[in-house]
Amino acid sequence: MNIHFNDNNQEEWGKFSSLKKSVDKAKKAALKKRIAKKPHVTDLEYLLGAFIQMYDPHLEEFIQKLSEKGYAIDASSGFGGKNSEFQVMTGDFSIDYFTKNKLEKIGVKFREYNGSQSLIFWPEKAKLDNIKSKWMDIMNILPDKGILTTPSMSPNAIMFRRKYIPEDPHLQRQRFFERLKYSIQKKSENDIRKRKAKNSHPNKIELILGLFIEEIEPQVRQAIVKLNKKGYSTDTAGFMDNSCDQMIEGDFQLEEDTINKLKKVGVTVETNPSGYTRLYFSPKEANISKINKEWNKIASIFPEKNKAASSSMTRKAREFRAKYL
């Protein structure tokens, strides 16, 4: 019986592989035609980080509907597995326990790996109608989060957006900040490479921070040093996942008066029950010198604590000190 079962599997997997080949062929032809006819992206495609024709054709009807519920799925979604035997929906889902249970009841598994979330199911038949029916079931179960407004932050989506300019002014602003974030991160990589080659011995402040100063994004370096000298322990700083936002977070707390002063200059302050604080703001322009001035202004609002800052206790910081002390 096992041999017969395996034979059936092999036969069905062959059908899935064949179906995948025909889907890839149709996708390639559609993308070529699209680029020749309309090489510019729509606002939705900019948010997705892919042309609609870069998705498996049977998913096209779901892309728009999913975006209306607040979901941007990656263009890698669709057929998966060595024999194309399963379907995968990849994106930032952040679904709750109840939704996961509902999905599991219809045979859909939730997977999370390296910050990416996926929904996976194994179709009963290698037929597009059967596959699309299950996709529809999944889409109906996913909670409605409102129309998609935040761009996908997957590496492929970010790379795609660097090549295109959206029509929507809000998305154009997003693009300017994404380009600035990319150039700043490249500069930071170059700065740290030069620093290590010239002097790989950290100073006192760097040991407290648990990193070389050059590892901090240049627009916020001065502010971090100032805060450290004032007695504040910081862990991370710079661009957030949303490139339009800047943040600093660390193991420190602020008095209500300071929080109110920060709010007046457009800074949001959040503190969790354990006393860990994050503050963030959205710069008006994607201009590194202006963002630097905003950070310095923010740092000037923090009152002196008149004591040394405690060392950052992140895993990275502890490993840094273990290596260089």
Side-chain angles (χ1 to χ4, degrees):
M1 286 184 68
N2 287 337
I3 294 175
H4 179 65
F5 176 76
N6 289 333
D7 285 344
N8 286 342
N9 271 357
Q10 290 295 334
E11 181 181 354
E12 198 63 28
W13 286 346
K15 292 179 181 178
F16 278 113
S17 294
S18 178
L19 182 59
K20 172 68 161 61
K21 289 178 182 178
S22 65
V23 165
D24 284 345
K25 184 177 180 180
K27 178 166 63 175
K28 185 177 180 180
L31 181 59
K32 183 178 180 180
K33 183 178 179 180
R34 160 61 192 277
I35 293 175
K37 185 178 180 180
K38 184 184 177 184
H40 304 293
V41 296
T42 65
D43 288 340
L44 173 58
E45 289 171 330
Y46 185 82
L47 290 170
L48 296 172
F51 287 118
I52 294 296
Q53 290 75 15
M54 292 171 69
Y55 293 84
D56 287 355
H58 65 282
L59 302 184
E60 288 189 20
E61 67 180 271
F62 301 105
I63 304 302
Q64 178 70 42
K65 293 176 182 178
L66 283 166
S67 72
E68 291 172 359
K69 296 186 75 171
Y71 300 91
I73 66 170
D74 196 79
S76 62
S77 300
F79 285 92
K82 183 178 179 181
N83 299 288
S84 306
E85 70 275 15
F86 64 78
Q87 290 282 300
V88 57
M89 180 190 291
T90 303
D92 182 14
F93 298 110
S94 302
I95 55 178
D96 57 35
Y97 174 79
F98 298 103
T99 303
K100 289 179 185 177
N101 278 348
K102 288 180 181 179
L103 291 169
E104 287 184 1
K105 286 180 180 179
I106 63 168
V108 178
K109 303 295 183 182
F110 176 80
R111 297 286 185 268
E112 191 165 9
Y113 180 73
N114 284 345
S116 176
Q117 292 85 27
S118 298
L119 299 176
I120 300 172
F121 69 89
W122 286 258
E124 297 176 1
K125 299 178 181 178
K127 294 184 177 181
L128 289 180
D129 286 344
N130 180 273
I131 293 171
K132 288 166 68 175
S133 177
K134 182 70 76 171
W135 274 88
M136 181 64 73
D137 291 340
I138 294 172
M139 189 182 69
N140 289 335
I141 288 174
L142 289 175
D144 191 337
K145 302 190 296 182
I147 295 176
L148 180 69
T149 57
T150 304
S152 166
M153 297 310 294
S154 74
N156 288 337
I158 292 171
M159 288 292 290
F160 177 88
R161 282 197 296 274
R162 290 193 190 125
K163 305 173 186 176
Y164 301 98
I165 300 176
E167 296 177 357
D168 183 86
H170 174 76
L171 294 180
Q172 287 180 14
R173 179 177 183 272
Q174 180 82 33
R175 180 177 184 270
F176 292 144
F177 276 99
E178 282 190 355
R179 291 180 65 184
L180 180 63
K181 180 179 180 179
Y182 176 75
S183 64
I184 283 177
Q185 289 178 338
K186 286 297 180 183
K187 184 182 186 315
S188 295
E189 290 173 7
N190 189 47
D191 288 348
I192 188 59
R193 187 165 50 248
K194 289 181 179 178
R195 164 62 189 275
K196 288 182 177 179
K198 185 178 180 180
N199 175 21
S200 61
H201 300 289
N203 59 33
K204 183 179 179 180
I205 289 179
E206 290 172 328
L207 286 172
I208 292 173
L209 294 171
L211 46 69
F212 291 111
I213 292 296
E214 289 79 4
E215 292 182 76
I216 303 171
E217 293 173 7
Q219 79 279 10
V220 72
R221 284 177 194 169
Q222 290 176 317
I224 289 295
V225 172
K226 288 179 181 178
L227 291 176
N228 182 270
K229 289 180 177 179
K230 284 186 172 185
Y232 297 88
S233 173
T234 59
D235 292 332
T236 58
F239 282 96
M240 298 180 70
D241 288 341
N242 183 342
S243 304
C244 293
D245 297 330
Q246 295 277 308
M247 68 89 183
I248 284 178
E249 64 180 33
D251 192 12
F252 61 85
Q253 297 180 52
L254 298 172
E255 297 293 336
E256 195 65 32
D257 180 58
T258 303
I259 293 174
N260 289 333
K261 288 178 181 178
L262 290 168
K263 286 181 178 179
K264 288 180 180 179
V265 295
V267 178
T268 299
V269 180
E270 297 176 347
T271 301
N272 67 20
S274 66
Y276 195 85
T277 297
R278 167 186 283 184
L279 55 92
Y280 58 92
F281 71 98
S282 299
K284 294 180 177 64
E285 296 180 43
N287 181 299
I288 187 171
S289 62
K290 291 184 178 180
I291 296 174
N292 174 258
K293 288 180 180 178
E294 287 186 76
W295 270 127
N296 288 337
K297 181 178 181 180
I298 290 168
S300 70
I301 294 174
F302 280 60
E304 293 279 358
K305 297 182 74 173
N306 298 315
K307 65 177 183 179
S310 59
S311 298
S312 170
M313 295 306 294
T314 65
R315 180 178 178 180
K316 180 181 177 181
R318 286 184 278 115
E319 289 176 348
F320 178 89
R321 285 190 289 271
K323 180 177 181 180
Y324 291 104
L325 271 177

